Amino acid sequence: MARIRDVWVNWFEGEENGYNICPFHEWRSEDKIEVLDIAEVVKVTERLYEQLENSLETVPRQLLDAVYRKSALRKNMSKLPLDYCFIATTGTATLVVDTLGYETPIRKSRLTPRQEKLTIEAIEQSEEPACGEEGEPIEKEYHILSPHPKYMQGLTRKERQLKQLLFMIIDQLDTSGQEAEIRYWYTEWVPEKYMEIQMMSGEEALQRLYNEVSVGWSEDHYHLCEAMTKGQPFFEKIWDMQHESEMHK
């Protein structure tokens, strides 16, 4: 296996979708950046890389044993060994993983462009076989609280986060909303369909609302999300956090 030094990491914890592990150009000044003094590089199959990036499934024991305490965090001029931390690469894509001592990829980070280049160069010089099974990636199930990547494609970090907030509110509307409330919010989205919406059941109106807001991101999405958060402290807090982060960029 190969190793590289001075690796900047920006951990995203508990993420099961790769689009939430932000690339370097989306890192923010308030993100907590850490430095790995040394990081073990592991070549993995496309299938295993997909699993590490887009799930919280158990990391193969063979891989965990191979990287045990070989990576270390730099902290206050000293090195702090990490039980199961490594850089996974297919030779083209890269991802930093830390299990926090468990067996699942709890924390994940992208690399800076320079470190990504060094990682790929390092693994090209290694003759180690790729870890993991070969074959097509396992088909993953997506849902409203874990949206399909196609709904996030092309969006900025802030847009992705606000869209996920909007999905969370719609999901709550599905479980606790009255039919009149659901029709009201769908009318806010497409006011020109007011008469048609009044004839719909709450279930139909909610499904249409979800289907339509799933596509892209626009000013209309933004204003609907803003309106739906009002009066709901939990969602208002998330909304405010996103705008505070944007101000610190």
Side-chain angles (χ1 to χ4, degrees), residues 12 122 195 240:
F12 291 86
M195 293 303 296
D240 291 341

Side-chain angles (χ1 to χ4, degrees), residues 13 31 47 76 84 111 137 154 214:
E13 192 164 326
D31 289 340
R47 184 186 180 96
N76 298 328
Y84 303 118
L111 290 170
S214 292

Side-chain angles (χ1 to χ4, degrees), residues 10 13 26-27 35 37 60 82 186 214 234 247:
N10 183 15
E13 192 164 326
E26 288 190 330
W27 292 6
V35 179
D37 185 81
L82 302 173
Y186 187 30
S214 292
F234 175 70
M247 290 173 64

Side-chain angles (χ1 to χ4, degrees), residues 3 6 10 13 22 25 32 82 112-113 162 179 204 232:
R3 295 182 183 182
D6 302 321
N10 183 15
E13 192 164 326
C22 296
H25 71 268
K32 185 180 179 182
L82 302 173
T112 67
L162 289 180
E179 287 205 354
E204 181 184 1
Q232 303 196 66

Side-chain angles (χ1 to χ4, degrees), residues 169 173 180-190 197 209 223-224 226-230 232:
I169 300 170
L173 197 60
E181 183 182 9
I182 294 170
R183 286 194 291 265
Y184 170 81
W185 287 118
Y186 187 30
T187 303
E188 285 290 295
W189 173 249
V190 281
I197 292 170
L209 175 61
H223 293 308
L224 179 67
E226 181 179 30
M228 293 184 80
T229 61
K230 290 181 178 177
Q232 303 196 66

Side-chain angles (χ1 to χ4, degrees), residues 1 42 59-68 128-133:
M1 291 186 188
V42 183
V59 180
R61 172 47 55 184
Q62 174 190 2
L63 174 52
L64 293 176
D65 290 342
V67 302
Y68 182 65
E128 293 283 338
C131 181
E133 297 180 4

Side-chain angles (χ1 to χ4, degrees), residues 48-244:
L48 179 53
Y49 184 89
E50 180 76 16
Q51 174 188 323
L52 293 170
E53 184 180 43
N54 290 294
S55 81
L56 295 173
E57 293 181 23
T58 302
V59 180
R61 172 47 55 184
Q62 174 190 2
L63 174 52
L64 293 176
D65 290 342
V67 302
Y68 182 65
R69 296 180 75 82
K70 290 183 178 179
S71 298
L73 178 70
R74 184 182 300 160
K75 192 167 186 179
N76 298 328
M77 302 302 291
S78 62
K79 298 179 185 179
L80 178 64
L82 302 173
D83 286 350
Y84 303 118
C85 178
F86 57 94
I87 301 175
T89 179
T90 61
T92 54
T94 61
L95 181 73
V96 192
V97 173
D98 181 20
T99 72
L100 292 178
Y102 299 99
E103 297 185 353
T104 55
I106 295 176
R107 301 198 299 182
K108 308 174 191 181
S109 174
R110 302 298 180 188
L111 290 170
T112 67
R114 178 177 178 274
Q115 293 291 351
E116 187 168 30
K117 182 174 181 290
L118 289 174
T119 296
I120 293 171
E121 289 175 351
I123 209 66
E124 285 175 348
Q125 298 171 12
S126 171
E127 297 183 359
E128 293 283 338
C131 181
E133 297 180 4
E134 299 287 352
E136 293 295 320
I138 298 172
E139 189 66 29
K140 177 179 176 178
E141 291 187 9
Y142 295 95
H143 51 81
I144 190 170
L145 298 181
S146 179
H148 194 283
K150 67 183 179 182
Y151 297 137
M152 300 297 173
Q153 190 172 4
L155 305 188
T156 66
R157 178 175 176 177
K158 178 182 177 181
E159 289 168 348
R160 292 193 304 272
Q161 291 171 329
L162 289 180
K163 191 167 188 177
Q164 287 176 286
L165 171 60
L166 181 56
F167 285 151
M168 290 168 62
I169 300 170
I170 291 174
D171 181 64
Q172 178 180 275
L173 197 60
D174 184 29
T175 56
S176 61
Q178 301 296 318
E179 287 205 354
E181 183 182 9
I182 294 170
R183 286 194 291 265
Y184 170 81
W185 287 118
Y186 187 30
T187 303
E188 285 290 295
W189 173 249
V190 281
E192 66 274 15
K193 293 184 179 180
Y194 171 79
M195 293 303 296
E196 179 183 349
I197 292 170
Q198 296 311 302
M199 304 300 292
M200 294 180 187
S201 65
E203 182 179 357
E204 181 184 1
L206 190 72
Q207 187 61 51
R208 288 201 186 187
L209 175 61
Y210 171 66
N211 291 343
E212 291 172 21
V213 301
S214 292
V215 181
W217 184 261
S218 65
E219 285 294 316
D220 289 339
H221 285 83
Y222 180 90
H223 293 308
L224 179 67
C225 186
E226 181 179 30
M228 293 184 80
T229 61
K230 290 181 178 177
Q232 303 196 66
F234 175 70
F235 295 135
E236 284 182 332
K237 184 176 180 180
I238 297 175
W239 174 270
D240 291 341
M241 286 172 59
Q242 296 309 321
H243 288 75
E244 288 172 5

